[in-house]
Amino acid sequence: MKALVFGRTGQVAQELALLLPEAEFLGRDRADLTDPAACADAIAATDAAIVINAAAYTAVDKAESDADTARLVNGAAPAAMARAAAARDLPFLHVSTDYVFDGSGTAPWQAGDRTGPLGVYGQTKLEGEDGVRAAGGMAAILRTSWVFSPFGNNFVKTMLRLGRERDALSIVADQIGGPTPAGDIAAALVAMGRQMLDGRGIAGTYHFAGTPDVSWADFAREIFRQAGLTPKVTDIRTVDYPTPAKRPANSRLDCSALTRDYGIARPEWTKGLARVLTILETTS
């Protein structure tokens, strides 16, 4: 599948590179997302059959004080990409986030539920979604949550470091969501893209997250169990661990629409975790 992928060093982009060796990956040096027009120009010039946006401003706390940059990268750039892709009748896939919701309640969020971001990051990602939808064309938005992989910075790698350094850790237990391996996100995007190119794709907004849903504390416990580490984990509340940006308490995502329309089931994140730990062990 000849794809043009925005993003090169992010977790999903690096997993996509393993699945799509023939794809063209655009890093910041070739497509700066703070310049939406340049992103659109790259699509206008490409010979790729499909466009995937796997790049984003993901520094959730920093976005609170850097809203203008976050809005360009997460809002204006995806909208410009989607318009350029629609102008050339190219399918467009865009990765978004559970942070577009306010995290209330306990029921898994459905794609059509009312949004309500708690901070700048979620608001700018929602603006990007709105821009993609407004562009028309064959575009699909894939919302996901709690992404981890062998690449970059993520919760798994942080817990491995802290689990080796400390005998005890206090971890938030009142935020619930589905940890999602970036490799499975990449595989889902590829499967969706192939169906789009075959004429079987459906435009819309979809959810994709790992199963089962857990707290951050229980996620950490499983990381330590699989890694053979033994720090004591104490559950704490979100209010005991203040951050500049508010986090949604309920990040559960209803992923049934993606299974219905694309035949893609929720991945078991414990299996994805085992793969990540194996890779990290062999590359350390």
Side-chain angles (χ1 to χ4, degrees):
M1 186 170 78
K2 183 63 183 297
L4 179 69
V5 180
F6 287 88
R8 189 174 61 197
T9 60
Q11 296 186 77
V12 174
Q14 292 195 67
E15 293 284 8
L16 280 169
L18 299 176
L19 299 176
L20 298 173
E22 69 277 29
E24 182 180 9
F25 291 81
L26 303 182
R28 192 174 303 171
D29 57 331
R30 296 185 56 200
D32 188 342
L33 270 68
T34 62
D35 185 354
C39 297
D41 289 344
I43 294 172
T46 189
D47 63 351
I50 189 168
V51 180
I52 301 173
N53 181 31
Y57 186 113
T58 58
V60 175
D61 289 324
K62 186 179 178 182
E64 293 297 306
S65 59
D66 191 21
D68 290 344
T69 304
R71 184 155 284 113
L72 279 172
V73 173
N74 291 341
M81 294 176 197
R83 290 192 297 268
R88 294 196 54 197
D89 292 324
L90 297 176
F92 181 66
L93 286 163
H94 174 65
V95 180
S96 193
T97 175
D98 60 292
Y99 276 62
V100 299
F101 297 111
D102 66 9
S104 60
T106 59
W109 294 99
Q110 299 187 40
D113 285 342
R114 183 176 180 177
T115 53
L118 299 176
V120 171
Y121 168 69
Q123 180 59 45
T124 59
K125 289 294 290 183
L126 181 59
E127 291 169 8
E129 287 189 9
D130 290 342
V132 170
R133 282 187 283 265
M138 177 52 70
I141 297 165
L142 190 68
R143 292 178 180 145
T144 189
S145 64
W146 297 23
V147 181
F148 68 92
S149 74
F151 310 111
N153 298 316
N154 56 67
F155 185 77
V156 170
K157 295 175 78 172
T158 297
M159 288 301 103
L160 290 174
R161 176 176 57 80
L162 293 177
R164 296 185 181 106
E165 294 174 353
R166 304 182 188 178
D167 296 326
L169 294 165
S170 298
I171 301 176
V172 170
D174 59 357
Q175 296 174 24
I176 309 297
T180 315
D184 288 305
I185 299 171
L189 291 169
V190 171
M192 294 173 73
R194 293 192 191 284
Q195 291 183 55
M196 286 177 162
L197 292 174
D198 289 344
R200 296 180 289 119
I202 300 175
T205 303
Y206 295 93
H207 291 169
F208 182 72
T211 186
D213 295 316
V214 293
S215 69
W216 287 112
D218 284 339
F219 185 16
R221 290 186 177 97
E222 180 62 16
I223 294 168
F224 297 144
R225 188 192 70 80
Q226 289 198 25
L229 300 173
T230 57
K232 178 184 177 182
V233 175
T234 299
D235 292 358
I236 60 172
R237 301 172 301 165
T238 298
V239 294
D240 299 321
Y241 187 73
T243 55
K246 293 182 179 179
R247 267 65 172 173
N250 175 24
S251 289
R252 300 172 181 88
L253 297 177
D254 184 325
C255 305
S256 58
L258 188 66
T259 303
R260 179 194 68 217
D261 291 352
Y262 282 93
I264 300 171
R266 294 183 67 179
E268 296 180 38
W269 63 263
T270 54
K271 293 182 179 178
L273 175 61
R275 169 185 174 267
V276 168
L277 293 179
T278 297
I279 293 172
L280 290 173
E281 182 179 353
T282 57
T283 57
S284 62

